[in-house]
Amino acid sequence: MATYKLNHTDSVGNGGGDANSLGSNQENGFSDLSSLAQSEKAVQEFLIQQTPMQANDDHLIEFSEALRTVAKALRGSSEGKALAQAEAAEWKRRYELERSKNLQLLHKAPWNGVCADESNSSNGTMDQLAKSPRLHVQENGKSGRCSLDRICAHEVLQDCEPNSPNGCNNKLKRKASFKLSWGCKGQANDQHKKDIVSFESGNITTADRSSKQISLTWESSPQTVIIFTKPNSTSVRVLSVEMVRWLRDHKGLNVYVEPRVKAELLSESSSFDFVQTWEDDKEISLLHPKVDLVITLGGDGTVLWAASMFKGPVPPIVPFSMGSLGFMTPFHSEQYRDCLEAVLRGPISITLRHRLQCHIIRDKARHDYETEENMLVLNEVTIDRGISSYLTNLECYCDNSFVTCVQGDGLILSTTSGSTAYSLAAGGSMVHPQVPGILFTPICPHSLSFRPLILPDHVTVRVQVPFNSRSSAWVSFDGKGRKQLEAGDALVCSMAPWPVSTACQVESTNDFLRSIHDGLHWNLRKTQSSDGPQ
């Protein structure tokens, strides 16, 4: 059987042939530069050889000025092309330097704590892996790495300043560390995270799945929790008072609450002065380095509110169901002590819920980087026609490839966690929250053939209001932050690198199926009787 190989596409070029093509392009570029220089020199010699012109000869004066303009344009073109070629050569040099550094790190891997089976891999595999960044962690003066089937928190979190005189030994300021394992409830197994596809002996086969049940195991005890509550609810207020007291007295945890909740607690009793809160938005941005665990008392809206408070990584969330409908709140408030005991003890199964990262590019912006701040959404971003009576007209692109032109009431770009929300009401499919993807769901499209799509998680979606649109559009992020899109404005969405991890009561799939059965009464019908015709 004929054998073949699959090549991974690099961001620098397409495979190994790019270096040669770059070299040839550079040679052609410099030859073009020499020809441009010769042309400019010829123009200058022609100007020098001209005899002195009379002041009344207007045609010769105009012709001379035109030749000087041509010479100036040739000079600018040659300088611009020289700068472009120099920049391309510099990028090639940086790429080769980074590639050589990665190769050196891979060759040194057996002495830096990398598994033995990885050090015995072929040179071709090491050369291929050298093109992607690797994570190396400095610990106690030695370079090491966690095993291949887990992720440790200290690999992505730095809990102290590098120049701090006290170092990282201050246990009051250090966050609780944990690890994520690919398995069930933290149990040890022989399976490691491998490539999704293998192509040995000319056959393409699927290896281990990329998405498995993930469990969280604490490596040090949590010290700080933050509680978000549903407002204007008497039952939530009563439970928050009881829970805060229990976490402080029986678990010895530091407790953060919202300013509104702290005022409510102090109105109950002055003994709640130990509760901490924040004063302004700047302190909110510093919550993640302080908080080990998030507790929500409410419905899915409270979970969305808690996730929106973190503009980057989000601590694990334990959501208690105290709302009208909840697909992300599996825990019951009546057994909150047993639930929190199990969570604080660990290990627990978690669901990694992907978020979308969105920003708006205004037509008046001169460059793409002159955009508004990024918005992170856990459910969906919605583009609609607002108060206008006209249909929306939206041009949609996926990685610069034209997708379609939406004509209707609007468009929903949803995460898989938001597939049971607005997208489902608009005709989209229900998707397991751990399936990586972006749901592309039209709202009342003016075409019967316009069906919803599910796009892969690595793409970037761009939705633009064309210049010939009859009216503007409006965009909202998880139902908040509503903004207007004028003609020429664009919304750019991609998968955010910071998912939201929510604790599971049993495990991810069981919780998802139970939520659609209990919340939507999915496929609930009376069973057909057996006494019909045979």
Side-chain angles (χ1 to χ4, degrees):
M1 180 182 295
T3 60
Y4 53 92
K5 64 180 180 179
L6 303 178
N7 295 325
H8 297 276
T9 303
D10 297 325
S11 61
V12 178
N14 299 325
D18 290 347
N20 296 331
S21 63
L22 181 57
S24 63
N25 289 337
Q26 287 181 340
E27 294 174 0
N28 295 334
F30 286 115
S31 64
D32 293 339
L33 290 179
S34 61
S35 62
L36 287 173
Q38 292 175 3
S39 300
E40 182 181 356
K41 184 178 180 181
V43 172
Q44 292 177 352
E45 291 178 354
F46 178 80
L47 292 176
I48 294 174
Q49 293 174 2
Q50 296 301 311
T51 58
M53 293 177 292
Q54 300 297 328
N56 57 357
D57 196 343
D58 296 336
H59 295 288
L60 290 178
I61 293 176
E62 292 179 0
F63 181 66
S64 175
E65 292 296 333
L67 289 178
R68 287 189 176 88
T69 303
V70 171
K72 184 177 180 181
L74 290 173
R75 187 186 309 110
S77 176
S78 62
E79 292 175 355
K81 196 159 188 177
L83 289 175
Q85 296 295 341
E87 185 178 0
E90 176 64 18
W91 277 109
K92 179 185 177 184
R93 185 189 66 81
R94 292 182 182 179
Y95 167 71
E96 295 294 341
L97 180 61
E98 185 67 22
R99 185 170 177 270
S100 62
K101 287 182 180 179
N102 288 338
L103 281 173
Q104 291 177 3
L105 291 176
L106 286 175
H107 284 296
K108 293 179 181 179
W111 294 275
N112 288 340
V114 180
C115 300
D117 57 347
E118 194 174 353
S119 63
N120 295 329
S121 61
S122 63
N123 294 332
T125 304
M126 296 179 70
D127 181 68
Q128 184 179 10
L129 292 176
K131 300 178 181 179
S132 60
R134 301 291 296 271
L135 179 61
H136 294 270
V137 184
Q138 299 294 333
E139 186 175 1
N140 298 329
K142 297 181 180 180
S143 177
R145 192 185 69 166
C146 286
S147 60
L148 293 177
D149 61 340
R150 67 185 183 183
I151 300 175
C152 293
H154 62 270
E155 291 184 349
V156 295
L157 298 177
Q158 297 294 333
D159 302 316
C160 61
E161 296 295 333
N163 299 325
S164 175
N166 298 327
C168 294
N169 296 324
N170 191 348
K171 296 186 180 299
L172 293 178
K173 296 182 179 180
R174 180 168 182 146
K175 281 175 59 68
S177 61
F178 55 86
K179 62 182 180 181
L180 301 181
S181 305
W182 278 264
C184 292
K185 298 186 179 180
Q187 299 177 357
N189 52 56
D190 299 334
Q191 298 178 350
H192 297 286
K193 187 178 180 181
K194 301 178 182 178
D195 293 335
I196 299 177
V197 177
S198 62
F199 37 89
E200 298 178 357
S201 303
N203 297 321
I204 298 178
T205 57
T206 302
D208 290 345
R209 300 294 180 184
S210 60
S211 297
K212 295 183 180 179
Q213 178 57 51
I214 303 175
S215 62
L216 182 148
T217 303
W218 298 104
E219 294 185 335
S220 60
S221 299
Q223 298 182 4
T224 305
V225 300
I226 185 171
I227 301 177
F228 293 95
T229 64
K230 176 183 177 181
N232 304 322
S233 175
T234 304
S235 59
V236 170
R237 183 173 179 176
V238 172
L239 180 62
S240 63
V241 172
E242 183 180 347
M243 182 179 292
V244 168
R245 180 69 69 184
W246 181 80
L247 290 172
R248 179 67 175 183
D249 295 344
H250 293 80
K251 294 302 175 182
L253 298 176
N254 301 318
V255 181
Y256 275 82
V257 296
E258 301 169 82
R260 168 185 56 83
V261 179
K262 183 175 182 179
E264 294 175 353
L265 293 174
L266 291 177
S267 65
E268 293 284 339
S269 173
S270 60
S271 60
F272 286 102
D273 55 354
F274 62 86
V275 175
Q276 304 179 59
T277 187
W278 56 90
E279 298 295 337
D280 50 25
D281 294 341
K282 184 177 180 181
E283 293 187 27
I284 294 178
S285 63
L286 301 177
L287 284 178
H288 174 258
K290 301 177 182 179
V291 177
D292 300 317
L293 192 67
V294 177
I295 299 174
T296 63
L297 305 179
D300 286 352
T302 309
V303 178
L304 296 178
W305 168 248
S308 67
M309 301 298 290
F310 300 91
K311 304 306 179 183
V314 184
I317 298 178
V318 183
F320 287 93
S321 177
M322 299 190 71
S324 56
L325 185 64
F327 295 94
M328 295 184 286
T329 55
F331 296 99
H332 299 287
S333 59
E334 295 80 7
Q335 296 88 25
Y336 78 90
R337 296 187 181 184
D338 296 336
C339 295
L340 291 179
E341 286 276 7
V343 170
L344 295 173
R345 182 175 60 250
I348 56 171
S349 296
I350 64 173
T351 299
L352 286 182
R353 301 182 181 273
H354 304 279
R355 290 194 290 179
L356 291 178
Q357 184 173 255
C358 311
H359 66 274
I360 296 175
I361 301 177
R362 299 293 182 183
D363 176 59
K364 61 184 179 182
R366 293 171 296 176
H367 305 283
D368 281 359
Y369 58 79
E370 294 182 357
T371 62
E372 300 184 5
E373 63 176 352
N374 286 346
M375 302 289 292
L376 295 173
V377 297
L378 181 55
N379 262 4
E380 74 277 314
V381 53
T382 305
I383 309 100
D384 57 67
R385 59 189 175 93
I387 61 175
S388 173
S389 59
Y390 298 110
L391 296 176
T392 56
N393 189 9
L394 304 173
E395 295 178 351
C396 303
Y397 300 86
C398 180
D399 284 344
N400 296 324
S401 297
F402 178 72
V403 178
T404 188
C405 183
V406 177
Q407 296 183 86
D409 282 354
L411 176 69
I412 301 172
L413 297 177
S414 170
T415 65
T416 50
S417 293
S419 65
T420 53
Y422 196 179
S423 176
L424 179 63
S429 176
M430 292 187 294
V431 187
H432 192 288
Q434 285 196 175
V435 175
I438 301 176
L439 278 67
F440 186 93
T441 308
I443 305 174
C444 297
H446 200 252
S447 172
L448 296 178
S449 61
F450 195 170
R451 307 308 303 158
L453 297 176
I454 300 179
L455 303 173
D457 61 333
H458 60 82
V459 302
T460 298
V461 180
R462 181 186 181 105
V463 181
Q464 184 168 351
V465 180
F467 288 99
N468 61 351
S469 178
R470 290 188 176 184
S471 63
S472 59
W474 291 83
V475 58
S476 59
F477 308 90
D478 277 341
K480 304 186 299 294
R482 194 167 175 82
K483 298 182 179 181
Q484 188 174 11
L485 297 179
E486 299 288 353
D489 296 344
L491 174 72
V492 180
C493 298
S494 60
M495 195 66 71
W498 308 288
V500 176
S501 58
T502 57
C504 301
Q505 187 178 40
V506 181
E507 53 89 22
S508 181
T509 302
N510 182 280
D511 286 4
F512 171 69
L513 294 177
R514 184 170 53 83
S515 68
I516 63 176
H517 280 295
D518 296 344
L520 298 176
H521 303 293
W522 180 61
N523 197 28
L524 180 63
R525 69 177 298 273
K526 188 176 181 180
T527 305
Q528 187 178 21
S529 61
S530 59
D531 56 356
Q534 301 295 328

